[in-house]
């Protein structure tokens, strides 16, 4: 039986430990007002849905109690949906994969989820200069 690679991050184990609020905070996104409706958390869609007008205040539905944090945008003409990893892809700075990250993008999101579970700080925005080394 082959052992897992040391760099392997099991996102299926991490997703139940992370809330949508944690992810938004990590990526520097301010969430709109949240509304608890049954088992769902509803809010205005902050993904813009490719439209120029604001969505209703309950367009985005997130199954907050689901370990995968499944979500769906009910805004007319949008219909985007997925799980916590796909939401991270859409929120993470850089070239999003349309909610279906693969390869290096997926590995970066997995590392972000691991950092969130460890309480580590938010990533630097895309294109931001690297922090200066500490003085000697």
């Amino acid at each position: 039986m082959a052992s897992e690679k040391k760099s392997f991050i099991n996102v299926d184990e991490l997703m139940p430990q992370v809330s949508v609020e944690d992810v938004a905070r990590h990526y520097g996104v301010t969430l709109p007002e949240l509304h608890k409706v049954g088992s769902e958390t509803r809010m205005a869609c902050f993904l813009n849905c490719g439209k120029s007008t604001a969505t209703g205040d309950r367009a985005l539905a997130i199954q907050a109690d689901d370990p995968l944090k499944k979500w769906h945008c009910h805004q007319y003409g949008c219909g985007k949906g997925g799980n916590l990893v796909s939401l991270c892809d859409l929120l993470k700075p850089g070239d999003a994969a349309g909610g279906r990250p693969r390869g290096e993008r997926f590995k970066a999101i997995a590392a972000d989820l691991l950092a969130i579970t460890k309480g580590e700080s938010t990533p630097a925005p895309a294109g931001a200069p690297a922090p200066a080394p500490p003085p000697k």
Side-chain angles (χ1 to χ4, degrees):
M1 183 176 194
S3 63
E4 293 179 351
K5 296 179 182 178
K6 286 185 179 182
S7 63
F8 177 78
I9 299 172
N10 189 339
V11 296
D12 292 330
E13 290 179 0
L14 296 176
M15 284 193 288
Q17 301 174 46
V18 178
S19 71
V20 173
E21 292 88 344
D22 294 336
V23 168
R25 194 170 23 260
H26 186 76
Y27 293 124
V29 174
T30 302
L31 292 178
E33 183 181 353
L34 304 178
H35 304 275
K36 188 78 171 162
V37 180
S39 65
E40 294 181 333
T41 299
R42 293 257 180 152
M43 66 189 82
C45 186
F46 53 89
L47 301 172
N48 298 327
C49 300
K51 309 280 189 251
S52 59
T53 60
T55 67
D57 68 347
R58 297 168 196 251
L60 189 67
I62 300 171
Q63 300 291 329
D65 296 334
D66 185 308
L68 301 178
K69 309 296 188 279
K70 293 178 188 169
W71 61 276
H72 184 83
C73 180
H74 294 280
Q75 180 69 19
Y76 180 76
C78 179
K80 289 180 185 175
N83 63 18
L84 190 63
V85 171
S86 62
L87 190 61
C88 289
D89 179 49
L90 296 170
L91 294 177
K92 184 175 178 64
D95 294 329
R100 296 176 179 246
R102 302 282 189 265
E104 294 304 314
R105 178 84 175 172
F106 182 85
K107 290 176 186 176
I109 290 169
D112 289 347
L113 289 173
L114 182 61
I116 292 169
T117 62
K118 292 180 175 182
E120 295 177 4
S121 64
T122 60
K136 293 183 179 182

